[in-house]
Amino acid sequence: MYDEVTEYMKMKVNYQTGENILQWWNNHSSIFPQLYRLALSLLSIPASSTASERVFSETGRVLEARRQQLSPDSLDGLVFLRNFRLP
């Protein structure tokens, strides 16, 4: 199975000064299709604050009384996994 993350980490990535990072990912989307979708999701700017407000509200639901001992990293990971959906 092709591991995109491993291949990306092995690759010597060079960004040109002033290069649009989204354009770089678009140019390499055939090599890293899953990482490309992740990059678009993480690097794009939402058109409204609705998405960020939804994430904030869902974080409150994730952090209920029984989970208040979670470390900040664990909470961040849970919120990311709950809100990241591939198209």
Side-chain angles (χ1 to χ4, degrees):
M1 181 174 173
Y2 179 72
D3 184 359
E4 290 181 31
V5 174
T6 302
E7 290 301 315
Y8 175 76
M9 292 179 71
K10 287 182 189 176
M11 183 180 178
K12 293 187 179 186
V13 178
N14 292 316
Y15 300 107
Q16 302 299 320
T17 302
E19 181 179 12
N20 181 333
I21 191 71
L22 290 175
Q23 185 60 47
W24 186 93
W25 278 107
N26 189 46
N27 294 341
H28 293 82
S29 63
S30 61
I31 301 169
F32 306 113
Q34 293 174 330
L35 288 177
Y36 168 69
R37 290 194 311 248
L38 178 62
L40 287 182
S41 174
L42 296 175
L43 298 174
S44 62
I45 299 171
S48 72
S49 63
T50 304
S52 60
E53 290 172 9
R54 180 179 46 81
V55 171
F56 185 78
S57 295
E58 285 184 13
T59 302
R61 288 191 291 274
V62 168
L63 195 57
E64 22 181 65
R66 64 187 171 106
R67 292 184 173 167
Q68 288 191 2
Q69 298 301 318
L70 287 174
S71 71
D73 289 337
S74 295
L75 177 61
D76 186 48
L78 281 171
V79 170
F80 173 79
L81 290 173
R82 284 183 67 141
N83 291 289
F84 178 69
R85 293 175 182 86
L86 290 175

